[in-house]
Amino acid sequence: LTGVPREQRAFQYVLARAVPGDPRHVLLAFDQWGCRREHLSNLGPRKGRIVERLVQERAPRAVLELGTYCGYGTVLLALGLPPGARLYTVEADPRHAAVAEKVIRLAGFGEDIVELIVGPSEEVIPRLKEKHGLLRADFVLMDHWKRRYLRDLRLLEAHDLLAPGATVLADNVIFPGAPHFLQYAKTCGRYRCKVHRTSLEY
């Protein structure tokens, strides 16, 4: 009714309640909004713990996120980065990217740590090396359109953007589902697969 998009309403809520420069407080404010006000397609706290644990275990130097949305997953990933590491996050929707940019900076992460790239993943991935300096990613989080998971994984392979032993973490592969991506990952012989059982956000 207000004409203000849901994501912008959520950001105004976070801005009014979160402590600037405190990433965990920013995430908590988002979780409060998602639980009490309106649903957002963030990772949420339960899946967030899986992401956080894996980032801590792998200690990646270069991280790629496909699907920034409001920046929740970006902040979560940036929290676990070791010193000197860099995160590249890609968002196709300029409106979502505008919100995410403010969220990322509110959480205290500058452009030296997190680079937000606006554009369709199929256009961004081929130019990650030359234009953005991402030689190879040690950790990839896919949280964009599920039907694009397989296409973008193949693009990452084709452009030699996956470091040896890289971790590729894909959200919502069971529901709403990414069956072709799962089948490829399990049968192509390049990956060892594990499904993490969890619930939907909020």
Side-chain angles (χ1 to χ4, degrees):
L1 292 175
T2 63
V4 179
R6 176 188 310 184
E7 293 77 17
Q8 187 64 41
R9 293 196 297 271
F11 173 70
Q12 292 302 326
Y13 179 92
V14 171
L15 184 62
R17 286 160 179 79
V19 176
D22 187 335
R24 293 202 180 278
H25 211 249
V26 169
L27 295 176
L28 177 62
F30 264 120
D31 290 337
Q32 290 171 343
W33 175 270
C35 289
R36 302 173 186 173
R37 302 294 180 94
E38 295 179 278
H39 178 267
L40 289 171
S41 297
N42 294 330
L43 283 168
R46 289 192 64 183
K47 289 190 283 188
R49 284 191 288 272
I50 296 172
V51 174
E52 201 167 6
R53 174 175 57 81
L54 289 172
V55 171
Q56 288 174 352
E57 288 176 0
R58 305 298 194 271
R61 304 296 301 174
V63 177
L64 174 64
E65 179 186 32
L66 299 177
T68 316
Y69 190 44
C70 290
Y72 184 104
T74 315
V75 171
L76 194 64
L77 288 166
L79 256 173
L81 292 179
R86 188 162 172 78
L87 166 59
Y88 302 82
T89 182
V90 180
E91 175 54 48
D93 189 324
R95 296 166 301 175
H96 294 164
V99 172
E101 179 80 37
K102 292 181 279 191
V103 168
I104 294 163
R105 306 315 170 205
L106 177 66
F109 298 109
E111 293 183 3
D112 58 321
I113 298 174
V114 178
E115 180 178 348
L116 174 60
I117 304 166
V118 184
S121 54
E122 70 272 20
E123 295 178 10
V124 172
I125 289 172
R127 61 175 193 255
L128 280 172
K129 282 187 179 180
E130 290 185 6
K131 186 171 182 180
H132 301 282
L134 173 59
L135 301 181
R136 283 181 169 178
D138 305 300
F139 193 101
V140 178
L141 175 61
M142 292 187 168
D143 195 13
H144 55 323
W145 291 103
K146 314 314 161 201
R147 64 179 179 270
R148 297 177 184 169
Y149 280 12
L150 177 55
R151 180 201 67 190
D152 288 351
L153 180 62
R154 299 295 300 269
L155 271 175
L156 291 171
E157 293 172 351
H159 291 275
D160 194 27
L161 282 163
L162 295 176
T167 297
V168 179
L169 186 61
D171 190 24
N172 298 124
V173 293
I174 304 297
F175 180 82
H180 299 297
F181 168 84
L182 273 182
Q183 182 182 21
Y184 175 78
K186 289 177 178 178
T187 61
C188 73
R190 298 186 182 199
Y191 307 99
R192 287 180 294 135
C193 295
K194 179 179 180 180
V195 175
H196 298 268
R197 300 285 177 180
T198 185
S199 64
L200 290 176
E201 57 279 356
Y202 312 123

